[in-house]
């Protein structure tokens, strides 16, 4: 039995699947990741992208932060690919319990997924740092320079910047889903970003699936490894 057929059998026999995904899930929708050869980290800017998307840089140079953020991190014309659609379908069938994602693009929800844990936040949620008023992504796009609230406060994207911690309650929910999963599918991530990558250590089952085009640090620990584009693998389930 080949790898994709094994995955098919595991999915068919489970009603407690959890999916944990990274940037590779969205690159097939045209959203660049940070670490690939043509990703954001390999492009030239006045400051390194890692510095620009840090909390201290955001506070120190908000104009420059928002110029980069609007140009490179907000993508509104992307559409869900086969992986997003298949995961939504598996949830609808009662097989998939949750999607845990490091992506901030909202494509899982656009595809129809309901239980989505966004570890790094979302471009679609923005809040005034002074009064807490909510603003959508279009409000940030339309703003000239730094987006301001009607109260005068700065409108900050609800995304986790470098130097900022993850939401502990959200992390605990993710841990609970992973710990109780029958099948854990990890896709489109090199498992290099902590603490999110450490979540898989909580998995206690025997069906750990890694789907990624290149090798990951955890391939040797997985029960099933598929080195193919994730959209192609999940096209079997649409």
């Amino acid at each position: 039995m080949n790898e994709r057929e094994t995955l098919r059998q595991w999915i068919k026999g489970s009603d407690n699947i959890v999916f944990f995904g990274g940037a590779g899930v969205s690159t097939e929708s045209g959203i660049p990741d940070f670490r690939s050869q043509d990703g954001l980290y390999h492009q030239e800017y006045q400051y390194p992208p890692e510095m620009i998307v840090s909390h201290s840089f955001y506070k120190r140079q908000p104009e420059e932060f928002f110029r980069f953020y609007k140009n490179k991190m907000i993508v509104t014309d992307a559409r869900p690919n086969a992986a997003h659609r298949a995961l939504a379908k598996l949830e609808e069938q009662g097989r998939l319990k949750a999607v845990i994602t490091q992506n901030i693009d909202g494509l899982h929800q656009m595809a129809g997924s309901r239980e989505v844990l966004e570890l790094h936040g979302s471009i679609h949620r923005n809040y005034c740092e002074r009064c807490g008023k909510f603003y959508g992504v279009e409000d940030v796009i339309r703003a000239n320079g730094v987006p301001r609230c009607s109260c005068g406060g700065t409108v900050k994207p609800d995304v986790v910047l470098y130097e900022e911690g993850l939401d502990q309650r959200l992390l605990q929910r993710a841990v609970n889903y992973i710990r109780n999963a029958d099948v854990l599918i990890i896709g489109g991530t090199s498992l290099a970003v902590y603490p999110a990558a450490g979540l898989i250590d909580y998995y206690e089952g025997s069906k750990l699936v890694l789907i990624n085009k290149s090798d990951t640090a955890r391939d040797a620990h997985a029960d099933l490894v598929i080195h193919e584009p994730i959209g192609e693998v999940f096209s079997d389930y649409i």
Side-chain angles (χ1 to χ4, degrees):
M1 192 184 307
N2 65 29
E3 290 89 351
R4 281 168 73 160
E5 183 57 32
T6 299
L7 178 62
R8 181 187 293 278
Q9 293 301 320
W10 287 2
I11 288 176
K12 185 179 179 181
S14 178
D15 62 357
N16 189 0
I17 302 167
V18 171
F19 178 81
F20 175 57
V25 180
S26 292
T27 52
E28 292 175 51
S29 291
I31 296 178
D33 71 10
F34 269 35
R35 290 174 176 77
S36 68
Q37 196 56 43
D38 56 350
L40 294 180
Y41 281 4
H42 293 270
Q43 300 178 25
E44 294 296 323
Y45 296 97
Q46 186 176 355
Y47 302 94
E50 306 99 310
M51 180 187 295
I52 298 175
V53 293
S54 68
H55 179 82
S56 54
F57 190 93
Y58 163 76
K59 286 294 189 184
R60 191 170 63 249
Q61 298 197 51
E63 289 276 355
E64 189 69 15
F65 169 85
F66 275 104
R67 186 163 64 183
F68 176 87
Y69 179 77
K70 291 180 189 181
N71 287 341
K72 295 298 178 185
M73 301 196 65
I74 294 180
V75 180
T76 57
D77 57 355
R79 292 295 175 263
N81 60 52
H84 298 107
R85 296 195 300 273
L87 290 165
K89 186 175 180 180
L90 289 171
E91 183 184 24
E92 187 180 335
Q93 292 171 349
R95 300 187 184 282
L96 183 81
K97 296 304 181 193
V99 168
I100 302 165
T101 181
Q102 295 171 288
N103 298 331
I104 60 174
D105 48 54
L107 291 179
H108 285 293
Q109 291 93 329
M110 192 182 297
S113 290
R114 294 182 296 278
E115 185 64 358
V116 181
L117 280 63
E118 296 173 305
L119 297 181
H120 294 165
S122 172
I123 62 169
H124 298 282
R125 298 188 301 269
N126 306 272
Y127 298 95
C128 172
E129 291 192 290
R130 182 183 295 174
C131 73
K133 183 178 177 181
F134 172 86
Y135 287 87
V137 67
E138 295 299 334
D139 297 310
V140 173
I141 293 171
R142 282 195 300 266
N144 185 18
V146 178
R148 300 288 182 187
C149 177
S150 53
C151 78
T154 300
V155 176
K156 181 182 183 294
D158 185 18
V159 298
V160 179
L161 304 176
Y162 285 110
E163 304 165 351
E164 295 180 343
L166 301 187
D167 183 306
Q168 291 303 306
R169 287 175 298 178
L170 195 63
L171 266 181
Q172 190 56 53
R173 285 177 59 203
V175 166
N176 291 340
Y177 273 122
I178 288 171
R179 180 180 283 141
N180 295 313
D182 172 31
V183 180
L184 176 61
I185 303 173
I186 299 174
T189 173
S190 60
L191 293 172
V193 178
Y194 284 80
L199 287 174
I200 72 167
D201 293 331
Y202 292 95
Y203 179 60
E204 299 176 352
S206 59
K207 296 184 177 75
L208 173 59
V209 183
L210 293 185
I211 306 172
N212 201 52
K213 286 194 289 188
S214 57
D215 294 342
T216 79
R218 298 299 189 97
D219 281 8
H221 302 281
D223 301 294
L224 180 63
V225 178
I226 302 177
H227 285 151
E228 297 181 56
I230 192 164
E232 289 182 19
V233 175
F234 274 110
S235 63
D236 297 341
Y237 304 93
I238 297 178

